[in-house]
């Protein structure tokens, strides 16, 4: 048979636009397969010359699913540029908003985007293999899933005034303190959200037992794993150093985010606008690493909240204590992070500083250049690109702001 090219376009259930091309040889075997990311990355050009304080409100427009990551990373970069580290209460409130985003994004990803394939089956009718199909098959679960996402979005809305593209963080802190009534509104349904997340975890565990063959053959490959960690190498999504481990779980690097250009570089292919970051010391493709939930859980030794840590222990044993290479386990990792984020919400809201009005540092020590780093929820992470240059887009959010 003659060689063929199969094109799948558009690729749906992602933020943005993409297509897949599969090249078959004359035997019908796959010779090449490409994922083309078609979005042109031009934010860095039209942001040049903008005032630093504008950036937390411009960069969230990169993404309607994870605007909070872009918002907070830009604000962090602004903190560094202006030399205005935020007071502790402001950092707590920023993290609270970030945890809300993790919950709403992860919840949507699992239940509404991946759920139709997992719960209804990969081969089910495309006309019903969607969220409407989930409602028809299990309306009670669908309602719980919607409420989980709604809860995360309400946290963002309470702090930032709206669920998408919030107005909250500014260089030096935030523009609004938390009220007792708002705390109670968030805490009211928190136990229900933990219960829903546990249901999701059991769903993916049960699915894994039945679909072991698919898990063991679909995109299983060794890479490095990259992400933010606490001082104890625990899972961290908001503030910490960056850790890189190899395919065996051995630490290769532990560094401050502001130094990321010393550690990683980018490779460019002529068939995609997507950038391919890699670890400089190993080169490309040997230095390729994974991020997102699977990367972060492989990269972490533990989780510093009890419920998520118990699940993390189970996750760590999926490959006998070695990094989990099975891409389909991103779903399990994502739900463990959801559980962690909900637990962090409770911890933050119980902090004595949560109602403090000391939320803005107005003492400036202007530096002119700054880097802001934060983890973002999706596996496919769009960068907030500021300043002059091209920055890695697979390591959470790296925002670099140059002096206007």
């Amino acid at each position: 048979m003659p060689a063929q090219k199969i094109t799948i376009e558009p690729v749906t259930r992602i933020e943005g636009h993409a297509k897949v091309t599969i090249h078959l040889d004359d035997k019908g075997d796959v010779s090449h397969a490409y994922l083309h990311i078609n979005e042109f990355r031009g934010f860095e050009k039209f942001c040049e010359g903008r005032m630093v304080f504008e950036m937390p409100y411009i960069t969230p427009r990169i993404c309607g699913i994870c605007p909070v990551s872009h918002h907070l990373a830009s604000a962090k970069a602004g903190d560094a540029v202006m030399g205005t580290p935020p007071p502790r209460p402001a950092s707590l409130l920023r993290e609270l908003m970030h945890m809300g985003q993790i919950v709403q994004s992860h919840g949507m990803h699992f239940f509404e985007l991946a759920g139709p394939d997992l719960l209804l089956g990969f081969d089910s009718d495309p006309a019903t293999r969607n969220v409407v199909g989930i409602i028809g098959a299990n309306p009670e679960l669908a309602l719980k899933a919607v409420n989980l996402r709604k809860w995360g979005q309400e946290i963002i809305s309470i702090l930032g005034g709206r669920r998408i593209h919030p107005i909250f963080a500014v260089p030096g802190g935030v523009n609004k303190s938390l009220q007792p009534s708002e705390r109670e509104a968030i805490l009211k349904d928190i136990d229900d959200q933990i219960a829903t997340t546990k249901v999701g975890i059991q769903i993916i565990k049960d699915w894994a037992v039945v679909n072991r063959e698919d898990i063991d053959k679909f995109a299983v490959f060794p890479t490095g794993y990259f992400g933010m960690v606490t001082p104890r190498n625990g899972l961290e999504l908001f503030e910490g150093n960056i850790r890189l481990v190899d395919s065996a779980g051995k630490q290769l690097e532990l560094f401050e985010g502001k130094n990321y250009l010393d550690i990683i570089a980018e490779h460019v292919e002529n068939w995609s606008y997507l950038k391919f970051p890699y670890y400089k010391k190993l080169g490309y493709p040997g230095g390729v690493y994974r991020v997102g939930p699977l990367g972060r859980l492989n990269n972490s030794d533990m989780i510093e909240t009890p419920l998520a840590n118990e699940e993390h222990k189970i996750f760590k044993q999926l490959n006998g204590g070695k990094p989990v290479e099975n891409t389909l386990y991103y779903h399990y990792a994502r739900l463990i992070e959801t559980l962690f984020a909900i637990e962090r919400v409770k911890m933050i809201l119980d902090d004595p500083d949560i109602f403090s009005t000391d939320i803005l540092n107005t003492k400036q020590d202007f530096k002119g250049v700054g880097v802001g780093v934060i983890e973002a929820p999706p596996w496919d992470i769009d960068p907030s690109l500021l300043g002059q240059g091209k920055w890695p887009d697979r390591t959470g959010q790296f925002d670099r702001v140059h002096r206007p």
Side-chain angles (χ1 to χ4, degrees):
M1 60 181 293
Q4 289 182 279
K5 183 177 79 170
I6 300 171
T7 301
I8 303 171
E9 184 179 18
V11 174
T12 59
R13 300 192 201 163
I14 64 169
E15 172 66 13
H17 301 84
K19 69 177 180 178
V20 174
T21 55
I22 303 169
H23 297 258
L24 306 179
D25 60 22
D26 54 10
K27 296 180 181 179
D29 295 329
V30 176
S31 58
H32 299 283
Y34 300 107
L35 171 63
H36 310 263
I37 302 299
N38 301 324
E39 294 167 289
F40 179 72
R41 301 179 183 276
F43 255 72
E44 69 273 23
K45 297 307 293 182
F46 66 73
C47 287
E48 289 175 8
R50 308 293 303 198
M51 300 301 292
V52 169
F53 57 79
E54 293 181 302
M55 301 318 302
Y57 311 115
I58 293 176
T59 57
R61 270 63 186 180
I62 293 172
C63 179
I65 300 299
C66 56
V68 172
S69 291
H70 302 279
H71 177 62
L72 296 179
S74 297
K76 282 187 169 189
D79 298 339
V81 170
M82 303 303 295
T84 55
R88 182 173 184 272
S91 292
L92 287 173
L93 292 171
R94 286 182 179 185
E95 185 181 0
L96 179 61
M97 174 179 276
H98 189 46
M99 293 304 104
Q101 178 201 223
I102 295 293
V103 172
Q104 71 88 12
S105 180
H106 278 358
M108 181 189 67
H109 194 124
F110 180 76
F111 288 105
E112 280 88 9
L113 301 184
D117 292 330
L118 300 178
L119 299 175
L120 304 178
F122 293 122
D123 297 325
S124 61
D125 186 353
T128 57
R129 197 172 71 240
N130 49 47
V131 67
V132 176
I134 294 291
I135 294 172
N138 193 331
E140 182 181 359
L141 176 63
L143 181 60
K144 289 179 179 179
V146 168
N147 285 334
L148 176 65
R149 184 171 188 235
K150 178 183 177 182
W151 184 76
Q153 288 179 310
E154 283 300 313
I155 294 175
I156 300 169
S157 179
I158 285 171
L159 296 170
R162 52 196 185 197
R163 298 178 179 182
I164 300 175
H165 307 322
I167 300 172
F168 183 58
V170 296
V174 297
N175 59 18
K176 176 184 178 296
S177 59
L178 187 73
Q179 301 302 309
S181 61
E182 294 170 332
R183 175 184 181 273
E184 294 308 310
I186 295 171
L187 286 175
K188 183 180 69 168
D189 297 325
I190 196 168
D191 290 340
D192 292 340
Q193 311 319 320
I194 290 175
T196 297
T197 304
K198 287 182 175 181
V199 169
I201 288 172
Q202 193 58 53
I203 287 172
I204 192 61
K205 284 181 174 180
D206 293 343
W207 184 88
V209 171
V210 176
N211 295 274
R212 171 62 53 189
E213 183 179 351
D214 286 336
I215 290 174
D216 289 341
K217 71 181 182 182
F218 179 80
V220 181
F221 53 91
T223 63
Y225 299 95
F226 192 104
M228 193 177 286
V229 292
T230 70
R232 298 168 60 195
N233 288 335
L235 175 68
E236 179 57 69
L237 301 175
F238 180 72
E239 191 75 68
N241 285 330
I242 308 298
R243 189 186 193 207
L244 172 65
V245 302
D246 65 15
S247 59
K250 178 183 177 181
Q251 181 172 301
L252 297 174
E253 298 285 351
L254 182 66
F255 62 96
E256 291 185 74
K258 67 181 182 180
N259 300 323
Y260 72 98
L261 286 176
D262 297 332
I263 307 298
I264 57 180
E266 289 180 330
H267 176 77
V268 178
E269 296 283 358
N270 63 8
W271 42 267
S272 179
Y273 285 122
L274 185 70
K275 305 295 179 60
F276 298 83
Y278 61 92
Y279 178 43
K280 283 184 175 181
K281 291 181 181 178
L282 294 181
Y284 185 86
V288 167
Y289 52 83
R290 281 190 268 188
V291 295
L294 188 76
R296 291 188 288 252
L297 263 62
N298 278 328
N299 189 48
S300 304
D301 295 338
M302 45 85 73
I303 297 179
E304 296 174 9
T305 62
L307 298 177
N309 191 52
E310 288 304 308
E311 286 297 334
H312 188 244
K313 291 177 182 178
I314 298 171
F315 173 88
K316 282 291 194 179
Q317 294 307 310
L318 291 173
N319 194 24
K322 298 178 181 179
V324 178
E325 299 176 348
N326 314 66
T327 296
L328 284 172
Y329 275 127
Y330 261 98
H331 298 308
Y332 185 24
R334 184 171 287 110
L335 289 169
I336 294 174
E337 286 194 341
T338 306
L339 196 56
F340 164 73
I342 298 172
E343 290 183 284
R344 278 297 298 158
V345 167
K346 180 67 163 59
M347 293 173 68
I348 293 169
L349 290 176
D350 284 342
D351 192 284
D353 285 340
I354 197 61
F355 295 131
S356 172
T357 56
D358 180 20
I359 56 175
L360 182 62
N361 179 6
T362 59
K363 298 179 181 179
Q364 297 183 2
D365 181 18
F366 188 75
K367 305 297 183 183
V369 175
V371 177
V373 184
I374 198 167
E375 291 284 356
W379 77 267
D380 188 10
I381 301 170
D382 290 314
S384 296
L385 300 176
L386 309 183
Q388 302 163 0
K390 300 180 176 67
W391 313 114
D393 65 350
R394 288 281 177 171
T395 52
Q397 302 297 140
F398 284 84
D399 282 5
R400 185 179 181 93
V401 180
H402 286 252
R403 185 174 183 171

